[in-house]
Amino acid sequence: MADSIRVVIVDDHSIFRSGLRADLDASVDVVGEAADVPSAIAVIDEAQPDVVLLDVHLPGGPGDDATGGEAVIRGSAPTTARFLALSVSDAAADVVRVIRAGARGYITKGSSGLEVSKAVHAVADGDAVFSPRLAGFVLDAFGAVAGETATATDELDRLSAREQEVMRLIARGYAYKEVASELFISIKTVETHVSSVLRKLQLSSRHELTAWASERRLL
């Protein structure tokens, strides 16, 4: 049909892929499937789908990365495809990580075929789609409502402008190397800034820093 959406399904369970393919409505045209990171990148490049339905936990990611979903998104660039995460996980860390990588939405595998089909169309049209329980994670992590201001101005005033930049990136989960690349500074300088941030905020770890920043809606 003229308005059909071309979709690639990426999931390491063949039974789930088959069931999902059968449940999607007739307006969704499945043009490819993949079970791991390398094959997903190859299929997306070949099929050029409109939307990729992507599990966040996939084998074949770089190094010890067991999540894999972000690796598919980054490895597929540049592409016109939009990514919709579809996972059994409803963990905040998984949601935030894959959205930061570039996914346009995140729904859980408890969704019906009709719900997934509607989400595919919405993402293809440029909208962001989230299962209701998960939307809050994204709002908390990326700055909630327009006009909302941080409640910790006095604490932020302890940090220099550069320390605030480093703090936000580290709290979002960036590695030191990624922060260095983003801000055009050395890894050693990043380490120095992080130590200073933790000392000034009286925190002891990156985990505490992420929690601190999230509570104050600074991400």
Side-chain angles (χ1 to χ4, degrees):
M1 61 179 60
D3 61 347
S4 64
I5 307 297
R6 292 164 48 81
V7 167
V8 163
I9 300 174
V10 181
D11 192 283
D12 59 341
H13 294 96
S14 61
I15 292 178
F16 176 78
R17 295 197 308 270
S18 299
L20 178 59
R21 181 192 282 262
D23 282 347
L24 293 171
D25 69 32
S27 67
V28 178
D29 180 17
V30 178
V31 296
E33 297 182 7
D36 57 35
V37 172
S39 61
I41 293 171
V43 169
I44 292 166
D45 181 60
E46 179 181 354
Q48 292 296 304
D50 301 306
V51 175
V52 179
L53 283 168
L54 178 69
D55 193 1
V56 298
H57 294 285
L58 295 166
D64 296 325
D65 182 9
T67 56
E70 316 92 277
V72 172
I73 297 173
R74 295 191 172 104
S76 300
T79 178
T80 58
R82 292 187 168 105
F83 293 86
L84 173 60
L86 177 59
S87 177
V88 69
S89 171
D90 61 358
D94 285 336
V95 178
V96 172
R97 186 166 49 238
V98 77
I99 295 302
R100 183 163 70 84
R104 292 289 300 170
Y106 194 118
I107 57 178
T108 62
K109 287 183 176 178
S111 305
S112 68
L114 178 60
E115 289 170 332
V116 175
S117 299
K118 288 181 177 179
V120 164
H121 278 274
V123 168
D125 288 339
D127 294 332
V129 179
F130 298 95
S131 293
R133 286 191 63 252
L134 308 183
F137 297 150
V138 180
L139 292 175
D140 287 344
F142 292 99
V145 221
E148 186 172 34
T149 56
T151 59
T153 304
D154 56 334
E155 293 172 300
L156 280 177
D157 285 344
R158 303 174 195 169
L159 308 180
S160 69
R162 177 64 88 186
E163 286 171 345
Q164 290 185 37
E165 290 177 328
V166 171
M167 176 273 293
R168 283 185 169 89
L169 292 175
I170 290 294
R172 289 172 184 166
Y174 281 60
Y176 284 6
K177 182 178 180 180
E178 293 174 313
V179 176
S181 176
E182 184 80 13
L183 299 179
F184 302 101
I185 57 179
S186 70
I187 295 176
K188 183 65 177 177
T189 301
V190 174
E191 293 174 349
T192 300
H193 284 315
V194 171
S195 295
S196 178
V197 168
L198 293 177
R199 184 183 71 255
K200 290 180 179 180
L201 297 179
Q202 299 182 334
L203 303 172
S204 60
S205 68
R206 291 182 55 156
H207 176 75
E208 288 187 3
L209 179 61
T210 298
W212 179 89
S214 179
E215 288 172 1
R216 290 157 181 79
R217 306 195 187 284
L218 298 175
L219 299 180

